[in-house]
Amino acid sequence: MAPSDYIQSRELATQNNGQFFTTLVDGRPYLPNLAVEASNPASVCNAAVVSVTLSTYIAATNDASDELKTIPLSIDWESLLKESSASLTCTKVTGGITNALFRVSGFEKLKPAFASVVTTLLNNSTSINCSSLIDFNSVLIRIFGAEGMINRDIETSTYAALCNADIAYRYLGRFNNGRVEGWLDGFLPLQFRDLSHDETSLGIAKEMARLHCLFEVPDGELRDHHFGTELDVITVGLWDQLSSWMEKAKGYSEFKTPYDTERVKKLELDRIELEVQNFITSFASTSSENGDSGDSTASVCSAKVVFCHNDLLAGNIMRHPETSEIQLIDFEYGGTNYAAFDIANHFNEHAGGTDVEENGVTDYTLFPNPDQQKNFCVEYVRTAKRLESMKSGLTEPGDVNENGDLHSEASDLLNQVQKFILINHLYWGLWAINQAAEEGCEEFDYITYATNRFKEFHAKKVEWEKDDHHGIYDSVSWIAVKKSNDDV
């Protein structure tokens, strides 16, 4: 997986002004010159048709390699798009605040037309039934938002790797300002109040453990980005991200409206900056003092650095109402991080506030109680141990004492989670400030959301220090991590 191949593709595209100029990157079609207008349903449908046609061709040729190459196909796109338009419907998908999402449906009726095009391209030389390669009726169109906040080349390469590992669900192709993904038929996004249901919560714990334990970022450029290039140290992007978002938030003197500018002033970002600096400084000093003592192999969970989702709010978790199967989606903020951060983030998301309907208003009375937190961590550790055992070639999960080792590790993990709950509020509060500056608050009130995250940070910090923890910044030795052969 090579994110730089997207850059090279765009350079090649400048020499070819054709709207449908296509390269093969990460085994999928990429059309750098094809831009989609979110306000134009026909434009959205066209991107779906082009990507489905090209991905079907790639599947038929079995040429889904990671090697960058151009795909010089002779296709009468105008005729195909015109023929497809009457059969397709485009529906806006609600719930997302970072991207514009659309469902394009009707591909069942178009199987013969697509199969005919692909078979012709192959000079009728394939024995494959091309219609069988289109085993869906709908696709998801994602038009990218959060410009400047997410590196879409790295994010898309990572998403392709997640799909290859059967962690994420189906990636069909990328265009200039977005991507075409599979549509999860029968699945529904969770609502934030669903997160407290016992069965659902344990299912999420299992899926999170599956992501943390089973996904290995492919070697090469993508792995170097996520884990760093130093031989003995795993790079964790959390601290640089916090610092970067803090600097960016402080750099805005005005927001989209005078009202927004005044509201941000009341957030006292200078005070927030001190909190961020204290966390980063404490981490740096403790890592320097204790870097050689961190034992990342002592437990499958202890201070574990893994590939994390980092944004497991309710809307990013799909569940099938009949089978209760859980599927994680939207990995765009995913990256190398502490497993405990991912869990802390998920606990904080019980309060909601991220749907357009909630408009930034959170309800922290829904934060999981101690028993719910404990049960989640126990299930996470149980699943992680079982998966690690399977990876080691064992048929049994090993010597797991339900009343001893398992609960002891879950308790250690939960202690780590408590500390990351504070950091997580700063993380998403700063994100929201930057979103407000770039996109405004007309469609979603990012400043209200930031206000509530920072308010809860201060409340949780008071609770923490009241519980005789001698200040949150006394020690973060639990974070120090060294790479070993047993890591990720």
Side-chain angles (χ1 to χ4, degrees):
M1 317 305 267
S4 61
D5 284 352
Y6 289 106
I7 299 173
Q8 189 175 345
S9 294
R10 288 192 290 274
E11 291 173 351
L12 291 172
T14 62
Q15 304 166 25
N16 188 317
N17 294 324
Q19 187 180 17
F20 303 108
F21 171 77
T22 308
T23 59
L24 184 72
V25 182
D26 293 332
R28 278 82 169 181
Y30 176 39
L31 294 95
N33 294 333
L34 180 62
V36 174
E37 300 174 29
S39 59
N40 184 349
S43 177
V44 175
C45 288
N46 288 348
V49 169
V50 172
S51 292
V52 169
T53 303
L54 292 170
S55 64
T56 303
Y57 169 79
I58 291 167
T61 58
N62 196 27
D63 189 26
S65 69
D66 288 338
E67 181 183 350
L68 171 65
K69 61 180 70 175
T70 59
I71 306 178
L73 298 179
S74 178
I75 299 176
D76 184 355
W77 288 116
E78 184 177 353
S79 296
L80 182 60
L81 294 176
K82 184 177 181 180
E83 180 182 355
S84 304
S85 62
S87 300
L88 296 177
T89 58
C90 178
T91 308
K92 186 172 178 58
V93 179
T94 60
I97 58 174
T98 298
N99 309 293
L101 305 174
F102 300 88
R103 178 183 184 179
V104 177
S105 302
F107 287 97
E108 283 283 351
K109 298 177 182 178
L110 293 172
K111 281 185 178 183
F114 286 11
S116 176
V117 170
V118 172
T119 302
T120 300
L121 290 171
L122 297 171
N123 296 316
N124 299 306
S125 61
T126 181
S127 60
I128 298 174
N129 179 1
C130 293
S131 292
S132 67
L133 298 175
I134 305 173
D135 57 350
F136 51 84
N137 188 50
S138 301
V139 297
L140 178 76
I141 303 294
R142 179 186 304 275
I143 299 178
F144 297 146
E147 187 175 354
M149 299 281 283
I150 300 170
N151 183 318
R152 292 298 181 177
D153 296 335
I154 292 168
E155 185 259 333
T156 300
S157 264
T158 303
Y159 185 71
L162 285 160
C163 289
N164 292 348
D166 200 29
I167 299 292
Y169 184 70
R170 192 172 274 171
Y171 164 37
L172 296 171
R174 180 180 173 185
F175 47 91
N176 175 277
N177 58 332
R179 193 165 62 223
V180 183
E181 303 172 12
W183 178 267
L184 284 160
D185 277 316
F187 283 76
L188 297 173
L190 295 180
Q191 303 300 311
F192 71 95
R193 295 182 185 276
D194 296 332
L195 300 179
S196 299
H197 298 165
D198 290 343
E199 181 184 358
T200 299
S201 180
L202 297 183
I204 296 167
K206 291 176 182 177
E207 270 311 296
M208 187 185 290
R210 184 169 174 265
L211 168 65
H212 292 175
C213 292
L214 297 186
F215 180 61
E216 297 183 4
V217 179
D219 288 337
E221 183 183 329
L222 190 61
R223 188 173 181 85
D224 288 347
H225 167 79
H226 283 298
F227 289 95
T229 57
E230 294 185 47
L231 294 178
D232 297 324
V233 179
I234 297 175
T235 300
V236 176
L238 172 63
W239 312 110
D240 286 343
Q241 187 69 85
L242 266 174
S243 180
S244 173
W245 282 355
M246 184 73 252
E247 182 180 359
K248 191 171 183 179
K250 287 288 299 295
Y252 295 110
S253 58
E254 292 184 354
F255 287 72
K256 296 295 184 181
T257 67
Y259 174 60
D260 287 349
T261 302
E262 286 303 311
R263 287 197 293 164
V264 173
K265 286 181 180 178
K266 293 178 181 178
L267 295 178
E268 300 180 280
L269 291 185
D270 288 338
R271 183 184 175 193
I272 296 298
E273 185 175 28
L274 288 176
E275 303 284 5
V276 170
Q277 289 174 346
N278 280 335
F279 274 113
I280 295 174
T281 301
S282 296
F283 163 74
S285 62
T286 308
S287 294
S288 176
E289 294 168 9
N290 303 320
D292 293 332
S293 63
D295 182 9
S296 61
T297 67
S299 161
V300 70
C301 300
S302 181
K304 186 78 171 176
V305 173
V306 295
F307 183 90
C308 291
H309 187 287
N310 290 327
D311 190 24
L312 274 181
L313 47 79
N316 287 341
I317 304 168
M318 306 291 284
R319 181 184 60 189
H320 198 288
E322 296 179 4
T323 66
S324 296
E325 180 184 353
I326 297 289
Q327 173 68 54
L328 309 184
I329 63 171
D330 290 3
F331 292 82
E332 57 194 356
Y333 291 99
T336 312
N337 209 339
Y338 307 98
F341 179 93
D342 227 5
I343 297 172
N345 179 83
H346 178 64
F347 286 173
N348 281 334
E349 297 296 355
H350 281 60
T354 54
D355 281 347
V356 173
E357 294 79 6
E358 297 149 20
N359 204 28
V361 177
T362 53
D363 182 1
Y364 286 102
T365 65
L366 298 174
F367 188 84
N369 62 43
D371 282 342
Q372 290 172 319
Q373 295 178 51
K374 180 191 72 175
N375 292 339
F376 186 99
C377 288
V378 167
E379 188 59 45
Y380 173 92
V381 173
R382 179 186 290 116
T383 303
K385 281 183 168 292
R386 184 178 301 114
L387 292 171
E388 291 291 342
S389 178
M390 292 170 59
K391 286 171 65 177
S392 300
L394 303 176
T395 56
E396 298 295 332
D399 296 327
V400 181
N401 186 335
E402 287 284 327
N403 297 316
D405 295 346
L406 180 64
H407 289 271
S408 175
E409 288 197 27
S411 178
D412 290 343
L413 176 62
L414 187 53
N415 285 335
Q416 297 168 22
V417 169
Q418 303 309 313
K419 300 165 187 176
F420 278 115
I421 284 169
L422 288 165
I423 299 171
N424 183 258
H425 284 304
L426 296 176
Y427 183 89
W428 288 113
L430 290 172
W431 169 85
I433 293 298
N434 288 309
Q435 286 286 92
E438 294 296 328
E439 300 187 11
C441 296
E442 287 187 8
E443 295 187 10
F444 180 83
D445 197 339
Y446 292 105
I447 297 176
T448 290
Y449 187 66
T451 300
N452 286 322
R453 294 303 297 251
F454 291 151
K455 181 179 178 181
E456 187 65 12
F457 165 82
H458 293 303
K460 286 290 187 184
K461 183 185 173 191
V462 170
E463 285 182 22
W464 180 275
E465 295 177 344
K466 191 181 295 182
D467 288 341
D468 197 28
H469 287 281
H470 309 294
I472 185 62
Y473 312 119
D474 57 347
S475 171
V476 286
S477 60
W478 45 275
I479 291 177
V481 175
K482 300 293 284 183
K483 184 185 285 187
S484 78
N485 292 332
D486 293 331
D487 272 329
V488 286

